[in-house]
Amino acid sequence: MTRNNPGNRSRKKQNANIASMTRKPPTDSHGHDLAEPRIRAVIKGVKPQIEDGHFPIKRVVGDRVTVEGDIFTDGHDALSARLLFRAGDDADWHETSMEPLVNDRWQGAFNITKLTDYFYTIEAWVDRFKSWREGLSKKIAAEQNVSVELIEGAELVSEAAKRARGSAAELLTAYAAALRAKEADAVHKALEEELAALMSTHADRRWAARYDKQLRIVVDRPSAEFSSWYEIFPRSCADQPGKHGTFSDCMARLPYVAEMGFSVLYLPPIHPIGHSYRKGKNGSLAAGPDDVGSPWAIGSEEGGHKSIHPLLGTLADFKQLVEKAREHAIETALDIAYQCSPDHPYVKEHPQWFRQRPDGTIQYAENPPKKYQDIYPIDFETEDWRALWDELKSVLLFWCQQGVRIFRVDNPHTKAFRFWEWVIAEIKKDHPETIFLAEAFTRPKVMYRLAELGFSQSYTYFTWRNTKSELTQYFTELTRTDIADFFRPNLWPNTPDILPEYLQAGGRPAFMSRLVLAATLGGNYGIYGPAFELCVSLPREPGSEEYLDSEKYQIKNWNIDSPDSLRGFIARVNQIRRANAALHHNHSLRFYTVDNDEIICFAKHTEDRNNFIVVAVNLDPHHPQSGWVELPLAQLGLDPTKPFQMHDLLTDARYLWNGPRNYLSLNPASVPAHIFRVRHNLRREQDFDYFM
Amino acid sequence: MTRNNPGNRSRKKQNANIASMTRKPPTDSHGHDLAEPRIRAVIKGVKPQIEDGHFPIKRVVGDRVTVEGDIFTDGHDALSARLLFRAGDDADWHETSMEPLVNDRWQGAFNITKLTDYFYTIEAWVDRFKSWREGLSKKIAAEQNVSVELIEGAELVSEAAKRARGSAAELLTAYAAALRAKEADAVHKALEEELAALMSTHADRRWAARYDKQLRIVVDRPSAEFSSWYEIFPRSCADQPGKHGTFSDCMARLPYVAEMGFSVLYLPPIHPIGHSYRKGKNGSLAAGPDDVGSPWAIGSEEGGHKSIHPLLGTLADFKQLVEKAREHAIETALDIAYQCSPDHPYVKEHPQWFRQRPDGTIQYAENPPKKYQDIYPIDFETEDWRALWDELKSVLLFWCQQGVRIFRVDNPHTKAFRFWEWVIAEIKKDHPETIFLAEAFTRPKVMYRLAELGFSQSYTYFTWRNTKSELTQYFTELTRTDIADFFRPNLWPNTPDILPEYLQAGGRPAFMSRLVLAATLGGNYGIYGPAFELCVSLPREPGSEEYLDSEKYQIKNWNIDSPDSLRGFIARVNQIRRANAALHHNHSLRFYTVDNDEIICFAKHTEDRNNFIVVAVNLDPHHPQSGWVELPLAQLGLDPTKPFQMHDLLTDARYLWNGPRNYLSLNPASVPAHIFRVRHNLRREQDFDYFM
């Protein structure tokens, strides 16, 4: 697991020595050259690391990266270890020292400051000076004669002096002389901390072992980890029922979205919609003449993936929308759905990009026995794949040129894995700030694979995780295992495709609790609105997760000013998210025990624990629930002998709690959740001006 | 994690096509060539696998190797997968099919039949025929028209016919024709199992993905996994007190050892012993003129590691001992302690193999402030390491030539890791049946590393694991994690260096229970005798684990015929071990719940579960203990509605048990353990001749 240190100057000399020997060097069982036996440190089990280092881990600018590894050697000699790291364009490695934890596990850390790939690895060596110093102090403590030891030490220090320059070299030379002086004085000098520090800086690293992999980090901007998405159909933004909305109407909706505190406005496909086999209302096979079709049936005579649906407006209108949104601190995300309606220009221009059947027709999408004749999947196995890939890449580049830097990718799991790995890397070469969200609701290993291949964020099973045990288990998997290093959850309580049964049955309280869960369990979350804030809960038919009269197939006119809207509540939650850095990441998430299975309680905190948020949610939308929550006071930095304040940021109520077990009660008829900020400094009589 | 299949003939053609294209092929983010996109199967997470495949797993001849991997692809196409394996000298891969378990995990297995390294890997591909067949049957069930599908199928079958030879080709051609015939008949033919089997055998594997590693198996003979060791000092085998025993005396002891049922006779070093700084009785620094010294202070004017202590006999005597032992079905194991007394010939002949101090002396062993001046450690960092390594290897080869095939290596963790990896591989090249036991009582990661580097067996912390929770936790780690694939425990309740406090305090019942634990928890176990069977329990001083008047420093005369000896009990336990194949491996070990923490209960069974052994041990050597044990009846293959018999092989008592919870009671004053064989077929009235 370790290899020779190639960057070492004296390595050349050593190789020359080996070459001049007549005997063939011994090899290990894999045929590896076993020279040089003086390279004795073993470095293994380095984390974070994804699939043997084949895929990068993900971090954002500003993160601190903590790296651990097993580092040990044969025998009893002391070791030293350094964590080596560099940003993509750095010529040399930077290094920082690693310290032993327990059981031969070592740890070091560095900060990410630039929006570029980083690399890290570990170097470790048998540190003869450190071993010598430890032995010496034990022998001195046992009052043994150490005269020979002092000469040995002087030799080590003299060698280090030769490696050093300037004042360090002078200091080391002086130390070497001191170690050769009278034993009583020399012993004192030998154990000085300054000497230890100098010897560490100028260590003999000729036989350092280097970990055999340089592990990569894909660095994103912070909004890859913290963002609030709002999905909206622009065609439903018109101010009159039945009228086809435009980008201009959508612009008028921006203050509403901004007021709710969302940072990303995500638009379903904005391209021309096919007319062949167009789906009617509620997905019916026979569309009427007025049916507008599904935005995901992309392409018509009016254009394809780089065109805009004429009824929405022009490219200029779109760019204006992007610009206006930015003024509201909202970024625009586009939907990338690589599939075509039968009327898409690609079908005529590049028929080889689709699968031809023996009867001369093109293979439409199907999931036997279901047929989706309005959609032609692209054949990623086409012989002409190079041209195809280039064209699909050019779609992304086109929208990048229009100012878009977030893409929500539709069903990426039905397209070639290798394509995604390639195209995401290609786009990020010139636009490293680009964020890709994978909309893959599929088997777990496929979802994780897409994240490994480069997707910045991923839809999750949160949509269907409702009970305390389901949520606890799933979010423990997402935040406390290796998965957290490459898979960034983006939590959606609803989407245009999914009206979960929990929302169908639970009414307004269900929408509130799911919103709080999404917004606090996930650094990234989103809702499909206005259906969400208006608590729309009617399915197409019982047992279906499709919305009745789904916006996917028809224009809707939403009464966003309904007094029952959750817009105010959502605004409050998003405001709390923005103001509390604890909620900007997922890695600190921990679940707390509550003696009632209908109440879930969890916490997140900043590195310094100054911002500590405890969330409690009543998962039962029908009944008030109460229970006792157990807080790990030490972890919260709380004194078990003193009361503390739990400040509910949702209602601004303040509760005095005391000790590890405290009572709470949540009524779905009012607010089914607490978002507490823990307030440590509770004033007491001692704090009163005249107490003394 | 997957790469192109290099063994594929059509790969060449495909490369040629790529080369003829003018555009540069796209690459992934690592710069890998992304051609060929049709290679779509992903293979990852393959187990067993040690440290990214850097080290081999271990198995023995006769084992069945089960291999698992995550296998999946983008989209909804069906996959097929094969497990590929070969013995070291096989020219081609053999293959066996893999089947999906759950969650995209696949499994296959093959048998080890030869004493040579094996290799395995996985191949998987998108199986168009399988996808087609699945779709077709759904469409038929939905009564859809499948005329175009049948033509597509006929094309797939025709292509397969071209890949096939002889009768298979004819059959496939006939099927292709049948699929082109009248739809009603064709549908029937299309779904025939024979066609599916033929299409599987002649699958289109042009775009098969191959796992990117060939994983290695080191294969040992079965006794690497199942052996019973008996350690004895030959010099203490004389029939008169104070007399130095010889190999001849040791031969006379063979029937005694054989009667107890041991399969390995392990001798501490048999070489000349140094006289400089020789240790006296109980390790005192001042040896008297009659003190015999420690066998581990190897070397004197009379020779070194290839010589025999003159008082033990000659090389011919030794070879006779080895031969005689073999007649008793006992193999002789030698102790390899690579260290020298100051009088060892190496010290004069190769002073460069030891560390010179500035005062001209040679560095003796030390653990500051402790000094071991009778021992010079070998300096594995010497510039002359090539000659040193060759010499050390020649020591092993020398004893191989005398018929020794088992080496117990003393303190391997204080010698260079790289040396062990090299020398074990070197010896096994010509002597693959050689077994190396690592005597490393050191930190866990170092112990595991030595096993990874090639040691066949390892000493363990069993010696100090006494309570139920300690034993359960440790043996779960050793048998139920990846560690089980490379680390073979050899369990010792005592050694000449370690008289554990449990044995000091617990008396005879403690020796009995520790023996049963060692012999049943471990396929490999050993005792240091006769101290063990005579229940010797006096330490040098309170708090010490050294034996009083340790045999390491003086000749002992053991009364092996003592009526209190455990020899009969040990013989019984070893007989049970031999007769019950369940105890020949560790991988089936499972712990059962008992409602008394002083009673531990566990089970092992053969693959077919016909031999199912349940062990219960009272860990309290002072008091009778009883409790209720919970048996997982389904796992034991027991009918919960019928009683069954638990046959205690130690006492031959038979107990009728019933249901999952049963009572047991163990009295340390008699036998503190049960070794039950589960007897399924309990006779009932129906089995009585005249019942009908």
Side-chain angles (χ1 to χ4, degrees), chain B residues 81-102:
Chain B
R82 299 275 197 277
L83 172 59
L84 275 53
F85 63 97
R86 62 182 171 86
D89 44 359
D90 293 344
D92 288 319
W93 292 104
H94 309 276
E95 59 177 53
T96 177
S97 101
M98 296 187 78
E99 300 301 328
L101 304 170
V102 290

Side-chain angles (χ1 to χ4, degrees), chain B residues 293-575:
Chain B
S294 160
W296 283 274
I298 296 170
S300 76
E301 294 74 7
E302 289 157 328
H305 284 75
K306 296 174 192 166
S307 302
I308 284 177
H309 195 301
L311 290 178
L312 288 174
T314 63
L315 188 59
D317 295 338
F318 173 74
K319 287 168 80 167
Q320 203 190 341
L321 169 62
V322 171
E323 194 42 51
K324 275 274 169 224
R326 190 168 295 135
E327 287 169 16
H328 285 94
I330 294 173
E331 243 190 292
T332 305
L334 278 197
D335 192 309
I336 295 295
Y338 284 133
Q339 58 188 19
C340 297
S341 101
D343 313 308
H344 195 292
Y346 288 165
V347 178
K348 279 209 187 78
E349 292 164 17
H350 305 283
Q352 75 280 16
W353 291 354
F354 303 89
R355 228 170 105 204
Q356 314 289 327
R357 308 196 70 200
D359 64 351
T361 63
I362 288 178
Q363 177 69 61
Y364 47 78
E366 58 175 3
N367 181 12
K370 285 192 211 160
K371 304 174 178 188
Y372 307 97
Q373 291 174 277
D374 56 334
I375 302 285
Y376 286 171
I378 289 170
D379 180 13
F380 280 80
E381 295 192 330
T382 173
E383 294 278 347
D384 191 34
W385 60 272
R386 285 169 207 287
L388 169 69
W389 288 23
D390 281 341
E391 172 60 23
L392 298 180
K393 173 183 156 185
S394 78
V395 169
L396 291 165
L397 279 180
F398 176 83
W399 293 109
C400 280
Q401 280 148 16
Q402 316 316 319
V404 176
R405 287 294 182 280
I406 307 185
F407 298 102
R408 177 271 194 195
V409 178
D410 191 76
N411 280 334
H413 60 292
T414 60
K415 285 92 195 173
F417 285 147
R418 286 167 180 241
F419 168 73
W420 293 122
E421 184 167 25
W422 172 76
V423 82
I424 292 172
E426 284 288 301
I427 298 300
K428 291 183 94 170
K429 250 185 228 167
D430 293 326
H431 306 290
E433 68 283 15
T434 312
I435 290 171
F436 292 86
L437 166 60
E439 187 250 8
F441 288 114
T442 182
R443 308 194 312 287
K445 283 174 186 169
V446 175
M447 292 180 63
Y448 292 144
R449 184 65 167 195
L450 289 163
E452 288 177 332
L453 294 170
F455 280 94
S456 332
Q457 302 181 354
S458 307
Y459 279 66
T460 70
Y461 302 144
F462 167 74
T463 312
W464 298 281
R465 295 290 181 273
N466 298 308
T467 67
K468 180 153 85 172
S469 69
E470 284 171 349
L471 288 164
T472 304
Q473 198 184 329
Y474 188 48
F475 281 89
T476 300
E477 174 177 323
L478 292 184
T479 61
R480 305 275 288 153
T481 70
D482 288 353
I483 289 164
D485 285 319
F486 64 88
F487 181 94
R488 291 201 193 99
N490 191 330
L491 311 184
W492 290 72
N494 75 329
T495 77
D497 294 315
I498 312 167
L499 170 62
E501 295 183 83
Y502 185 86
L503 293 183
Q504 295 178 29
R508 205 166 183 273
F511 282 81
M512 291 171 83
S513 63
R514 294 297 290 175
L515 182 94
V516 170
L517 289 170
T520 55
L521 285 170
N524 301 299
Y525 91 108
I527 59 170
Y528 152 55
F532 190 89
E533 62 264 30
L534 298 180
C535 302
V536 173
S537 61
L538 280 182
R540 188 188 290 171
E541 69 259 339
S544 166
E545 286 189 331
E546 286 284 348
Y547 277 92
L548 177 67
D549 301 328
S550 167
E551 204 164 1
K552 289 192 289 184
Y553 308 106
Q554 67 191 77
I555 292 169
K556 304 283 277 191
N557 186 266
W558 300 107
N559 177 17
I560 58 171
D561 296 318
S562 158
D564 292 332
S565 169
L566 289 175
R567 60 194 278 191
F569 183 72
I570 294 169
R572 183 80 176 161
V573 169
N574 279 334
Q575 189 187 27

Side-chain angles (χ1 to χ4, degrees), chain A residues 23 27 38 40 44 51-52 54 70 75 104 139 144 213 366 369 381 383 390 413 422 445, chain B residues 23 27 30 38 40 44 51-52 70 75 139 144 213 366 369 381 383 390 413 422 443 445:
Chain A
R23 234 179 310 182
T27 56
R38 275 166 288 198
R40 283 169 52 210
K44 52 174 265 190
E51 297 208 9
D52 310 352
H54 187 80
D70 294 338
D104 294 318
K139 287 170 186 171
Q144 294 180 1
K213 284 174 253 181
E366 57 174 3
E381 296 192 329
E383 294 279 346
D390 280 341
H413 59 292
W422 171 77
K445 285 174 185 168
Chain B
R23 234 180 308 183
T27 55
H30 315 290
R38 274 166 288 197
R40 284 169 52 210
K44 53 174 265 192
E51 297 208 8
D52 311 349
D70 294 338
K139 287 169 187 171
Q144 294 180 1
K213 285 175 252 179
E366 58 175 3
E381 295 192 330
E383 294 278 347
D390 281 341
H413 60 292
W422 172 76
R443 308 194 312 287
K445 283 174 186 169

Side-chain angles (χ1 to χ4, degrees), chain A residues 83-96 110-114 116-121 210 213-217 219:
Chain A
L83 173 59
L84 276 53
F85 63 97
R86 61 182 172 86
D89 44 0
D90 293 343
D92 288 319
W93 291 103
H94 309 278
E95 59 176 52
T96 179
F110 63 93
N111 295 321
I112 299 272
T113 56
K114 292 192 250 180
T116 177
D117 280 6
Y118 274 65
F119 297 87
Y120 57 98
T121 192
R210 178 78 69 86
K213 284 174 253 181
Q214 296 186 15
L215 299 166
R216 192 162 68 97
I217 309 176
V219 174

Side-chain angles (χ1 to χ4, degrees), chain A residues 385-564:
Chain A
W385 60 273
R386 288 171 204 285
L388 169 68
W389 289 23
D390 280 341
E391 172 61 23
L392 298 181
K393 173 183 158 187
S394 78
V395 169
L396 291 165
L397 279 180
F398 175 84
W399 294 108
C400 279
Q401 280 150 16
Q402 316 314 321
V404 176
R405 287 295 182 279
I406 307 185
F407 298 102
R408 175 271 196 197
V409 178
D410 191 77
N411 281 332
H413 59 292
T414 60
K415 286 91 194 173
F417 286 146
R418 288 168 179 239
F419 168 73
W420 294 120
E421 184 167 24
W422 171 77
V423 83
I424 293 172
E426 284 286 302
I427 298 301
K428 291 183 95 170
K429 250 185 227 166
D430 293 325
H431 307 290
E433 69 282 13
T434 312
I435 289 171
F436 292 86
L437 166 61
E439 186 250 6
F441 289 113
T442 180
R443 307 192 314 284
K445 285 174 185 168
V446 175
M447 292 179 65
Y448 292 144
R449 184 65 168 195
L450 289 162
E452 288 177 331
L453 293 170
F455 279 93
S456 331
Q457 302 181 353
S458 307
Y459 280 65
T460 70
Y461 302 144
F462 167 74
T463 312
W464 298 279
R465 295 289 179 272
N466 298 308
T467 67
K468 179 153 84 173
S469 69
E470 283 171 351
L471 288 163
T472 304
Q473 196 185 331
Y474 188 49
F475 282 89
T476 300
E477 173 176 323
L478 292 184
T479 62
R480 305 276 287 152
T481 69
D482 289 354
I483 288 164
D485 285 317
F486 64 87
F487 181 94
R488 293 202 192 98
N490 192 329
L491 311 184
W492 291 72
N494 74 328
T495 77
D497 294 315
I498 314 167
L499 170 63
E501 294 182 83
Y502 185 86
L503 294 183
Q504 295 179 27
R508 205 167 183 272
F511 282 81
M512 292 171 82
S513 64
R514 294 297 290 174
L515 182 93
V516 171
L517 289 170
T520 56
L521 285 170
N524 301 300
Y525 90 106
I527 58 170
Y528 151 56
F532 189 89
E533 63 266 29
L534 298 180
C535 303
V536 174
S537 60
L538 279 182
R540 187 188 292 172
E541 68 258 341
S544 166
E545 287 189 331
E546 287 283 350
Y547 277 93
L548 177 65
D549 300 329
S550 168
E551 206 166 358
K552 289 192 290 184
Y553 308 106
Q554 66 190 78
I555 293 169
K556 304 284 278 191
N557 187 265
W558 300 107
N559 176 17
I560 59 173
D561 296 318
S562 159
D564 293 331

